């Protein structure tokens, strides 16, 4: 298998794109050898759902599309990134403000940490940002 496998899809910033993003990522992971019943699949589904939802809901119409990147490096780590063109980065809201929303990044950080990974945010050349999750690849190399 190659040292680097990559895939990406660009979707409209619309609610229907959230399940499409989730299906896309899960299909790529299955192609790369992650069984659909692997314990990390549920965490990946939720992470992708939260990242895609954030890209749709919190870009205030300033990002007509978002891109989901999936990378598998050397069979060791999985990177999932969601890029939008809105310049505002995710904010951690105070607990008093977090009622019906505002917990997505907390959930994402927790799932990444629980899987032995991390979250980071990088700026794009166009003024937007990519929210990256890096987690260890859960499939043993044969």
């Amino acid at each position: 298998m190659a040292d680097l496998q990559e895939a990406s899809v660009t979707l409209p910033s619309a609610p229907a794109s959230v399940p499409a993003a989730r299906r896309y990522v899960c299909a790529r992971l299955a192609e790369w050898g992650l069984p659909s019943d692997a314990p990390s699949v549920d965490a990946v589904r939720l992470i992708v759902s939260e990242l895609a939802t954030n890209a749709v809901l919190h870009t205030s119409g300033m990002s007509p599309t978002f891109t989901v990147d999936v990378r598998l490096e050397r069979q060791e780590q999985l990177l999932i990134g969601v890029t939008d063109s809105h310049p505002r980065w995710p904010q951690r809201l105070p607990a008093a403000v977090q009622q019906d929303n505002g917990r997505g990044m907390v959930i994402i950080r927790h799932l990444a940490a629980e899987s032995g990974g991390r979250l980071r945010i990088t700026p794009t050349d166009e003024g937007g940002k990519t929210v990256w999750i890096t987690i260890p690849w859960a499939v043993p190399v044969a």
Side-chain angles (χ1 to χ4, degrees), residues 86-92 120-124 127-131:
H86 194 288
R88 188 181 74 216
W89 287 25
Q91 306 273 322
R92 195 177 282 179
R120 66 185 167 93
I121 304 169
T122 59
T124 65
K129 78 274 186 193
T130 303
V131 180

Side-chain angles (χ1 to χ4, degrees), residues 86-108:
H86 194 288
R88 188 181 74 216
W89 287 25
Q91 306 273 322
R92 195 177 282 179
L93 300 176
V97 176
Q98 295 179 358
Q99 292 181 6
D100 291 335
N101 60 22
R103 294 184 193 95
M105 293 305 290
V106 172
I107 291 168
I108 293 166

Side-chain angles (χ1 to χ4, degrees), residues 42-63:
D42 287 336
V44 167
R45 280 189 191 113
L46 185 51
I47 287 168
V48 171
S49 291
E50 290 292 336
L51 291 175
T53 297
N54 284 352
V56 170
L57 292 180
H58 300 297
T59 58
S60 306
M62 292 182 67
S63 185

Side-chain angles (χ1 to χ4, degrees), residues 51 66-71 79-83 130-133:
L51 291 175
F66 66 94
T67 300
V68 179
D69 293 295
V70 188
R71 297 179 189 162
L79 290 87
I80 300 170
V82 174
T83 303
T130 303
V131 180
W132 290 101
I133 295 295

Side-chain angles (χ1 to χ4, degrees), residues 7-61:
S8 69
V9 64
T10 298
L11 300 165
S13 290
S17 294
V18 174
R22 192 172 48 240
R23 284 190 303 270
Y24 179 82
V25 169
C26 289
R28 296 304 73 75
L29 298 184
E31 287 174 5
W32 297 344
L34 185 65
S36 61
D37 60 349
S40 60
V41 170
D42 287 336
V44 167
R45 280 189 191 113
L46 185 51
I47 287 168
V48 171
S49 291
E50 290 292 336
L51 291 175
T53 297
N54 284 352
V56 170
L57 292 180
H58 300 297
T59 58
S60 306

